[in-house]
């Protein structure tokens, strides 16, 4: 019997429509929340303890903002007309939105699924690779940052010697163009290690040993930037895109972020880039930076430190040195920010304020610890004219917490705004938390 072609077509059509409906349903269930609409109504936050992010605190504060900008910051006792919707923050705390530096947020979703990872390109010298192009605003990981007050981040590529160019984004956007706060803020370079670890799978001693190729690798970096400088000062023919991409390092409008550890390596890196005419530097990681604090201060070089929850890099160092590092560098007069590179860096970035709180527990003043993830990070990224502190004229990127935002036990956001837009703080994680909280309440 010959099959009915029309019935076969109808069946295939139904299967296609069913698949399309399932796809749209799943896509909707996994997509990030719709970005908030532009601010049209004024807001006034009254009575809260305002931590301005610049080291100052105002008890019983009054903060007003309209059209996405902060219009007033002062004491609630002042006789001034309140505008728009008034939020009573008495007994609560108001903070500027937190800023994470040196993250790969939005460049990967699931570590175990290679197709979701887009933070490392093939090659070694890649200053022309722009991380912003790969940034995914639909990331579920990004959504989970907001309930802890992390609203802005530097999106940084990984791998190679010169990894590429980072950009700064805010976490309430339809696409990377909407998300961008500052495009191509800096180029990232991974400095060679003075020591290498033996590869046990090749029968080598697994312990640390001097890196015999260190001098060769440093020379290769110097030659690359010298070649780029000669190219940029010549007729630029034929066009070399990687060399074109570093021109802003030489005119000081762009920073070079040097990922480096060790006293010798830090000094070598500073000397090398000064020798080729690049002076707008930031040290990232910076283990043993406290040993060269005088040099860093003399050259006005900030340091982006790592999370404190780690062991000392050397056996003869104090066990709590990583926890005291922020205070040591701050006391030396160095601009210090807090970065997030490392194990589970994307998922752990939501804990940024609690890492800052750890530094506060080990000697750093609480408001100075707050600056690590507010004004200091904003200055390092060159966005302190927009965010980083509760100041008139800056973006109304801020939140209200029931308690101390640097303490995971009390940082519970009630209201949050990015550029004046009121955010939803609901995420897949808060939904799961509520679901299982109710499960045990009913038993």
């Amino acid at each position: 019997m010959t099959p009915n072609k029309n019935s076969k077509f109808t069946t295939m059509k139904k299967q296609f429509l069913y698949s399309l409906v399932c796809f749209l349903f799943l896509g909707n269930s996994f997509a990030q929340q719709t970005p908030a609409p532009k601010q049209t109504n004024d807001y006034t936050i009254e009575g809260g303890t305002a931590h301005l992010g610049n080291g100052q605190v105002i008890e019983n504060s009054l903060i007003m903002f309209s059209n996405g900008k902060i219009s007033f910051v002062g004491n609630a006792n002042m006789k001034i007309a309140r505008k728009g919707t008034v939020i009573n923050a008495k007994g609560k705390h108001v903070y500027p939105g937190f800023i994470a530096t040196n993250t790969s947020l939005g460049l990967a979703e699931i570590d175990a699924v290679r197709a979701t990872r887009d933070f490392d390109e093939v090659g070694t010298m890649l200053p022309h690779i722009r991380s912003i192009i790969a940034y995914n605003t639909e990331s579920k990981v990004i959504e989970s940052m907001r309930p802890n007050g992390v609203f802005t981040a530097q999106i940084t590529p990984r791998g190679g010697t010169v990894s590429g160019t980072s950009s700064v984004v805010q976490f309430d956007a339809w696409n990377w163009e909407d998300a961008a706060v500052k495009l191509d803020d800096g180029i990232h370079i991974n400095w060679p290690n003075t020591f290498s670890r033996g590869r046990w799978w090749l029968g080598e001693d697994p312990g640390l040993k001097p890196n015999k190729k260190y001098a060769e690798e440093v020379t290769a970096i110097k030659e690359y930037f010298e070649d780029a400088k000669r190219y940029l000062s010549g007729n630029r023919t034929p066009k070399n895109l990687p060399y074109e991409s570093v021109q802003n390092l030489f005119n000081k409008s762009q920073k070079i972020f040097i990922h480096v550890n060790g006293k010798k390596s830090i000094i070598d890196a500073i000397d090398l880039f000064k020798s080729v005419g690049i002076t707008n530097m930031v040290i990232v990681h910076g283990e043993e930076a406290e040993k060269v604090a005088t040099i860093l201060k003399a050259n006005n070089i900030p340091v982006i430190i790592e999370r404190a929850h780690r062991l000392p890099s050397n056996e003869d160092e104090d066990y709590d040195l990583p926890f005291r590092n922020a205070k040591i560098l701050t006391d030396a007069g160095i601009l210090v920010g807090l970065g997030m590179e490392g194990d589970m860096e994307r998922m752990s970035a939501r804990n940024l304020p609690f890492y800052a709180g750890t530094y506060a527990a080990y000697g750093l003043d609480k408001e100075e610890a707050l600056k690590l993830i507010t004004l200091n990070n904003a200055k390092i990224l060159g966005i302190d004219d927009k965010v980083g502190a509760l100041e008139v004229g800056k973006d109304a990127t801020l939140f209200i917490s029931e308690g101390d935002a640097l303490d995971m036990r009390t940082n519970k956001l009630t209201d949050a705004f990015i550029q004046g837009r009121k955010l939803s703080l609901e995420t897949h994680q808060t939904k799961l938390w509520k679901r299982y909280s109710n499960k045990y309440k009913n038993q």
Side-chain angles (χ1 to χ4, degrees), residues 181-242:
V181 174
K182 184 174 184 179
L183 290 174
D184 305 323
D185 68 291
I187 291 175
H188 293 254
I189 181 168
N190 297 301
W191 193 261
N193 293 317
T194 54
F195 288 87
S196 63
R197 191 175 297 277
R199 298 166 293 181
W200 59 267
W201 59 92
L202 295 179
E204 297 176 355
D205 180 3
L208 286 174
K209 60 189 73 176
N211 179 9
K212 296 179 180 179
K213 293 185 177 181
Y214 176 76
E216 177 184 332
E217 292 167 347
V218 170
T219 299
I221 294 171
K222 184 174 183 179
E223 290 177 348
Y224 181 84
F225 283 96
E226 286 177 340
D227 290 346
K229 188 174 184 178
R230 279 192 292 270
Y231 166 85
L232 293 169
S233 62
N235 59 19
R236 303 191 183 189
T237 304
K239 188 172 184 178
N240 186 306
L241 184 57

Side-chain angles (χ1 to χ4, degrees), residues 197-303:
R197 191 175 297 277
R199 298 166 293 181
W200 59 267
W201 59 92
L202 295 179
E204 297 176 355
D205 180 3
L208 286 174
K209 60 189 73 176
N211 179 9
K212 296 179 180 179
K213 293 185 177 181
Y214 176 76
E216 177 184 332
E217 292 167 347
V218 170
T219 299
I221 294 171
K222 184 174 183 179
E223 290 177 348
Y224 181 84
F225 283 96
E226 286 177 340
D227 290 346
K229 188 174 184 178
R230 279 192 292 270
Y231 166 85
L232 293 169
S233 62
N235 59 19
R236 303 191 183 189
T237 304
K239 188 172 184 178
N240 186 306
L241 184 57
Y243 288 167
E244 294 276 352
S245 301
V246 301
Q247 62 180 329
N248 289 334
L249 294 179
F250 292 103
N251 64 28
K252 300 178 177 57
S253 64
Q254 194 177 46
K255 294 182 179 180
I256 186 161
F257 291 81
I258 311 167
H259 298 234
V260 57
N261 288 311
K263 176 182 176 181
K264 173 177 169 51
S265 295
I266 294 172
I267 294 173
D268 288 347
I270 293 171
D271 289 344
L272 185 148
F273 285 110
K274 285 177 67 177
S275 72
V276 297
I278 298 174
T279 57
N280 201 357
M281 299 177 246
V282 178
I283 298 298
V284 183
H285 302 316
E287 289 184 7
E288 297 190 348
E290 70 280 358
K291 297 179 180 179
V292 292
T294 303
I295 296 174
L296 293 171
K297 182 173 173 55
N299 289 279
N300 196 29
I301 299 175
V303 178

Side-chain angles (χ1 to χ4, degrees), residues 380-402:
I380 290 171
L381 300 180
I383 55 173
D384 53 305
D385 60 327
K386 299 182 179 72
V387 293
L390 300 177
E391 297 174 356
V392 174
K394 293 190 177 182
D395 289 352
T397 298
L398 51 91
F399 65 89
I400 304 172
S401 174
E402 290 184 4

Side-chain angles (χ1 to χ4, degrees), residues 289-290 293 296 303 305 324-334 336:
E290 70 280 358
L296 293 171
V303 178
I305 59 176
R324 296 186 293 108
N325 198 29
K327 177 174 173 54
I328 294 170
L329 293 173
T330 299
D331 288 349
I334 295 169
V336 183

Side-chain angles (χ1 to χ4, degrees), residues 92-165:
K92 299 178 181 179
H93 298 257
V94 188
Y95 293 88
F98 297 147
I99 304 165
T101 60
N102 188 31
T103 77
S104 55
L105 282 164
L107 301 183
E109 193 71 6
I110 304 171
D111 288 343
V113 180
R114 190 174 184 274
T116 72
R117 305 198 305 264
D118 197 10
F119 50 77
D120 185 1
E121 292 292 336
V122 176
T124 56
M125 300 295 188
L126 305 169
H128 56 299
I129 297 297
R130 304 176 70 216
S131 63
I132 190 67
I133 301 299
Y135 177 69
N136 175 25
T137 56
E138 298 288 343
S139 169
K140 280 291 188 182
V141 181
I142 289 173
E143 186 181 76
S144 70
M145 302 295 116
R146 304 194 307 196
N148 280 354
V150 183
F151 297 160
T152 309
Q154 180 192 41
I155 309 305
T156 307
R158 304 284 184 235
T161 300
V162 180
S163 302
T165 304

